[in-house]
mmCIF file with all atom_site columns, all heavy atoms in Angstrom:
data_model
loop_
_atom_site.group_PDB
_atom_site.id
_atom_site.type_symbol
_atom_site.label_atom_id
_atom_site.label_alt_id
_atom_site.label_comp_id
_atom_site.label_asym_id
_atom_site.label_entity_id
_atom_site.label_seq_id
_atom_site.pdbx_PDB_ins_code
_atom_site.Cartn_x
_atom_site.Cartn_y
_atom_site.Cartn_z
_atom_site.occupancy
_atom_site.B_iso_or_equiv
_atom_site.pdbx_formal_charge
_atom_site.auth_seq_id
_atom_site.auth_comp_id
_atom_site.auth_asym_id
_atom_site.auth_atom_id
_atom_site.pdbx_PDB_model_num
ATOM 1  N N   . MET U 1 1  ? 107.307 -11.020 -83.179 1.00 77.00 ? 586 MET U N   1
ATOM 2  C CA  . MET U 1 1  ? 108.587 -10.940 -82.497 1.00 77.00 ? 586 MET U CA  1
ATOM 3  C C   . MET U 1 1  ? 109.090 -12.354 -82.237 1.00 77.00 ? 586 MET U C   1
ATOM 4  O O   . MET U 1 1  ? 108.374 -13.170 -81.693 1.00 77.00 ? 586 MET U O   1
ATOM 5  C CB  . MET U 1 1  ? 108.413 -10.200 -81.163 1.00 77.00 ? 586 MET U CB  1
ATOM 6  C CG  . MET U 1 1  ? 109.639 -10.217 -80.292 1.00 77.00 ? 586 MET U CG  1
ATOM 7  S SD  . MET U 1 1  ? 109.383 -9.533  -78.641 1.00 77.00 ? 586 MET U SD  1
ATOM 8  C CE  . MET U 1 1  ? 109.119 -7.825  -79.030 1.00 77.00 ? 586 MET U CE  1
ATOM 9  N N   . THR U 1 23 ? 106.007 -14.716 -80.542 1.00 70.00 ? 608 THR U N   1
ATOM 10 C CA  . THR U 1 23 ? 104.915 -14.089 -79.810 1.00 70.00 ? 608 THR U CA  1
ATOM 11 C C   . THR U 1 23 ? 103.634 -14.036 -80.631 1.00 70.00 ? 608 THR U C   1
ATOM 12 O O   . THR U 1 23 ? 102.555 -13.999 -80.065 1.00 70.00 ? 608 THR U O   1
ATOM 13 C CB  . THR U 1 23 ? 105.288 -12.660 -79.374 1.00 70.00 ? 608 THR U CB  1
ATOM 14 O OG1 . THR U 1 23 ? 105.741 -11.934 -80.506 1.00 70.00 ? 608 THR U OG1 1
ATOM 15 C CG2 . THR U 1 23 ? 106.331 -12.672 -78.296 1.00 70.00 ? 608 THR U CG2 1
ATOM 16 N N   . ILE U 1 24 ? 103.726 -14.034 -81.942 1.00 66.00 ? 609 ILE U N   1
ATOM 17 C CA  . ILE U 1 24 ? 102.530 -13.974 -82.775 1.00 66.00 ? 609 ILE U CA  1
ATOM 18 C C   . ILE U 1 24 ? 101.661 -15.202 -82.544 1.00 66.00 ? 609 ILE U C   1
ATOM 19 O O   . ILE U 1 24 ? 100.448 -15.154 -82.631 1.00 66.00 ? 609 ILE U O   1
ATOM 20 C CB  . ILE U 1 24 ? 102.912 -13.836 -84.268 1.00 66.00 ? 609 ILE U CB  1
ATOM 21 C CG1 . ILE U 1 24 ? 103.562 -12.469 -84.466 1.00 66.00 ? 609 ILE U CG1 1
ATOM 22 C CG2 . ILE U 1 24 ? 101.712 -14.004 -85.171 1.00 66.00 ? 609 ILE U CG2 1
ATOM 23 C CD1 . ILE U 1 24 ? 104.160 -12.256 -85.827 1.00 66.00 ? 609 ILE U CD1 1
ATOM 24 N N   . ASN U 1 90 ? 109.980 -9.458  -72.896 1.00 83.00 ? 675 ASN U N   1
ATOM 25 C CA  . ASN U 1 90 ? 109.627 -9.256  -74.304 1.00 83.00 ? 675 ASN U CA  1
ATOM 26 C C   . ASN U 1 90 ? 108.204 -9.719  -74.590 1.00 83.00 ? 675 ASN U C   1
ATOM 27 O O   . ASN U 1 90 ? 107.487 -9.084  -75.358 1.00 83.00 ? 675 ASN U O   1
ATOM 28 C CB  . ASN U 1 90 ? 110.623 -9.948  -75.230 1.00 83.00 ? 675 ASN U CB  1
ATOM 29 C CG  . ASN U 1 90 ? 111.887 -9.150  -75.385 1.00 83.00 ? 675 ASN U CG  1
ATOM 30 O OD1 . ASN U 1 90 ? 111.885 -7.928  -75.312 1.00 83.00 ? 675 ASN U OD1 1
ATOM 31 N ND2 . ASN U 1 90 ? 112.996 -9.842  -75.604 1.00 83.00 ? 675 ASN U ND2 1
ATOM 32 N N   . VAL U 1 91 ? 107.790 -10.819 -73.980 1.00 79.00 ? 676 VAL U N   1
ATOM 33 C CA  . VAL U 1 91 ? 106.404 -11.286 -74.147 1.00 79.00 ? 676 VAL U CA  1
ATOM 34 C C   . VAL U 1 91 ? 105.441 -10.245 -73.591 1.00 79.00 ? 676 VAL U C   1
ATOM 35 O O   . VAL U 1 91 ? 104.436 -9.902  -74.214 1.00 79.00 ? 676 VAL U O   1
ATOM 36 C CB  . VAL U 1 91 ? 106.189 -12.658 -73.465 1.00 79.00 ? 676 VAL U CB  1
ATOM 37 C CG1 . VAL U 1 91 ? 104.708 -13.021 -73.426 1.00 79.00 ? 676 VAL U CG1 1
ATOM 38 C CG2 . VAL U 1 91 ? 106.988 -13.736 -74.172 1.00 79.00 ? 676 VAL U CG2 1
ATOM 39 N N   . VAL U 1 92 ? 105.767 -9.715  -72.408 1.00 76.00 ? 677 VAL U N   1
ATOM 40 C CA  . VAL U 1 92 ? 104.906 -8.703  -71.782 1.00 76.00 ? 677 VAL U CA  1
ATOM 41 C C   . VAL U 1 92 ? 104.859 -7.436  -72.635 1.00 76.00 ? 677 VAL U C   1
ATOM 42 O O   . VAL U 1 92 ? 103.779 -6.889  -72.888 1.00 76.00 ? 677 VAL U O   1
ATOM 43 C CB  . VAL U 1 92 ? 105.397 -8.396  -70.348 1.00 76.00 ? 677 VAL U CB  1
ATOM 44 C CG1 . VAL U 1 92 ? 104.672 -7.195  -69.762 1.00 76.00 ? 677 VAL U CG1 1
ATOM 45 C CG2 . VAL U 1 92 ? 105.208 -9.620  -69.463 1.00 76.00 ? 677 VAL U CG2 1
ATOM 46 N N   . LYS U 1 93 ? 106.010 -6.974  -73.098 1.00 79.00 ? 678 LYS U N   1
ATOM 47 C CA  . LYS U 1 93 ? 106.059 -5.767  -73.935 1.00 79.00 ? 678 LYS U CA  1
ATOM 48 C C   . LYS U 1 93 ? 105.270 -5.966  -75.219 1.00 79.00 ? 678 LYS U C   1
ATOM 49 O O   . LYS U 1 93 ? 104.538 -5.080  -75.662 1.00 79.00 ? 678 LYS U O   1
ATOM 50 C CB  . LYS U 1 93 ? 107.511 -5.390  -74.250 1.00 79.00 ? 678 LYS U CB  1
ATOM 51 C CG  . LYS U 1 93 ? 108.247 -4.828  -73.061 1.00 79.00 ? 678 LYS U CG  1
ATOM 52 C CD  . LYS U 1 93 ? 109.703 -4.589  -73.388 1.00 79.00 ? 678 LYS U CD  1
ATOM 53 C CE  . LYS U 1 93 ? 110.475 -4.191  -72.139 1.00 79.00 ? 678 LYS U CE  1
ATOM 54 N NZ  . LYS U 1 93 ? 111.905 -4.062  -72.407 1.00 79.00 ? 678 LYS U NZ  1
ATOM 55 N N   . TYR U 1 94 ? 105.419 -7.125  -75.830 1.00 78.00 ? 679 TYR U N   1
ATOM 56 C CA  . TYR U 1 94 ? 104.671 -7.432  -77.046 1.00 78.00 ? 679 TYR U CA  1
ATOM 57 C C   . TYR U 1 94 ? 103.166 -7.395  -76.756 1.00 78.00 ? 679 TYR U C   1
ATOM 58 O O   . TYR U 1 94 ? 102.385 -6.855  -77.536 1.00 78.00 ? 679 TYR U O   1
ATOM 59 C CB  . TYR U 1 94 ? 105.080 -8.804  -77.581 1.00 78.00 ? 679 TYR U CB  1
ATOM 60 C CG  . TYR U 1 94 ? 104.226 -9.263  -78.731 1.00 78.00 ? 679 TYR U CG  1
ATOM 61 C CD1 . TYR U 1 94 ? 104.463 -8.808  -80.017 1.00 78.00 ? 679 TYR U CD1 1
ATOM 62 C CD2 . TYR U 1 94 ? 103.172 -10.156 -78.528 1.00 78.00 ? 679 TYR U CD2 1
ATOM 63 C CE1 . TYR U 1 94 ? 103.681 -9.214  -81.077 1.00 78.00 ? 679 TYR U CE1 1
ATOM 64 C CE2 . TYR U 1 94 ? 102.382 -10.564 -79.584 1.00 78.00 ? 679 TYR U CE2 1
ATOM 65 C CZ  . TYR U 1 94 ? 102.638 -10.096 -80.853 1.00 78.00 ? 679 TYR U CZ  1
ATOM 66 O OH  . TYR U 1 94 ? 101.844 -10.506 -81.896 1.00 78.00 ? 679 TYR U OH  1
ATOM 67 N N   . THR U 1 95 ? 102.777 -7.958  -75.634 1.00 74.00 ? 680 THR U N   1
ATOM 68 C CA  . THR U 1 95 ? 101.360 -7.986  -75.261 1.00 74.00 ? 680 THR U CA  1
ATOM 69 C C   . THR U 1 95 ? 100.818 -6.579  -75.103 1.00 74.00 ? 680 THR U C   1
ATOM 70 O O   . THR U 1 95 ? 99.738  -6.261  -75.614 1.00 74.00 ? 680 THR U O   1
ATOM 71 C CB  . THR U 1 95 ? 101.173 -8.778  -73.947 1.00 74.00 ? 680 THR U CB  1
ATOM 72 O OG1 . THR U 1 95 ? 101.683 -10.095 -74.146 1.00 74.00 ? 680 THR U OG1 1
ATOM 73 C CG2 . THR U 1 95 ? 99.715  -8.842  -73.545 1.00 74.00 ? 680 THR U CG2 1
ATOM 74 N N   . PHE U 1 96 ? 101.549 -5.714  -74.395 1.00 73.00 ? 681 PHE U N   1
ATOM 75 C CA  . PHE U 1 96 ? 101.105 -4.329  -74.224 1.00 73.00 ? 681 PHE U CA  1
ATOM 76 C C   . PHE U 1 96 ? 101.025 -3.611  -75.567 1.00 73.00 ? 681 PHE U C   1
ATOM 77 O O   . PHE U 1 96 ? 100.080 -2.875  -75.827 1.00 73.00 ? 681 PHE U O   1
ATOM 78 C CB  . PHE U 1 96 ? 102.015 -3.560  -73.261 1.00 73.00 ? 681 PHE U CB  1
ATOM 79 C CG  . PHE U 1 96 ? 101.818 -3.921  -71.822 1.00 73.00 ? 681 PHE U CG  1
ATOM 80 C CD1 . PHE U 1 96 ? 102.908 -4.134  -70.996 1.00 73.00 ? 681 PHE U CD1 1
ATOM 81 C CD2 . PHE U 1 96 ? 100.552 -4.037  -71.274 1.00 73.00 ? 681 PHE U CD2 1
ATOM 82 C CE1 . PHE U 1 96 ? 102.732 -4.454  -69.660 1.00 73.00 ? 681 PHE U CE1 1
ATOM 83 C CE2 . PHE U 1 96 ? 100.366 -4.363  -69.939 1.00 73.00 ? 681 PHE U CE2 1
ATOM 84 C CZ  . PHE U 1 96 ? 101.456 -4.574  -69.130 1.00 73.00 ? 681 PHE U CZ  1
ATOM 85 N N   . ALA U 1 97 ? 101.997 -3.846  -76.444 1.00 77.00 ? 682 ALA U N   1
ATOM 86 C CA  . ALA U 1 97 ? 101.981 -3.220  -77.769 1.00 77.00 ? 682 ALA U CA  1
ATOM 87 C C   . ALA U 1 97 ? 100.775 -3.692  -78.572 1.00 77.00 ? 682 ALA U C   1
ATOM 88 O O   . ALA U 1 97 ? 100.111 -2.889  -79.241 1.00 77.00 ? 682 ALA U O   1
ATOM 89 C CB  . ALA U 1 97 ? 103.280 -3.533  -78.522 1.00 77.00 ? 682 ALA U CB  1
ATOM 90 N N   . GLU U 1 98 ? 100.471 -4.979  -78.503 1.00 72.00 ? 683 GLU U N   1
ATOM 91 C CA  . GLU U 1 98 ? 99.311  -5.510  -79.213 1.00 72.00 ? 683 GLU U CA  1
ATOM 92 C C   . GLU U 1 98 ? 98.010  -4.941  -78.657 1.00 72.00 ? 683 GLU U C   1
ATOM 93 O O   . GLU U 1 98 ? 97.100  -4.613  -79.408 1.00 72.00 ? 683 GLU U O   1
ATOM 94 C CB  . GLU U 1 98 ? 99.288  -7.037  -79.141 1.00 72.00 ? 683 GLU U CB  1
ATOM 95 C CG  . GLU U 1 98 ? 100.315 -7.688  -80.039 1.00 72.00 ? 683 GLU U CG  1
ATOM 96 C CD  . GLU U 1 98 ? 100.056 -7.402  -81.508 1.00 72.00 ? 683 GLU U CD  1
ATOM 97 O OE1 . GLU U 1 98 ? 99.000  -7.797  -82.026 1.00 72.00 ? 683 GLU U OE1 1
ATOM 98 O OE2 . GLU U 1 98 ? 100.919 -6.761  -82.133 1.00 72.00 ? 683 GLU U OE2 1
#
Side-chain angles (χ1 to χ4, degrees):
M586 172 187 292
T608 52
I609 293 172
N675 281 330
V676 170
V677 171
K678 288 175 187 175
Y679 173 81
T680 302
F681 285 135
E683 286 296 298

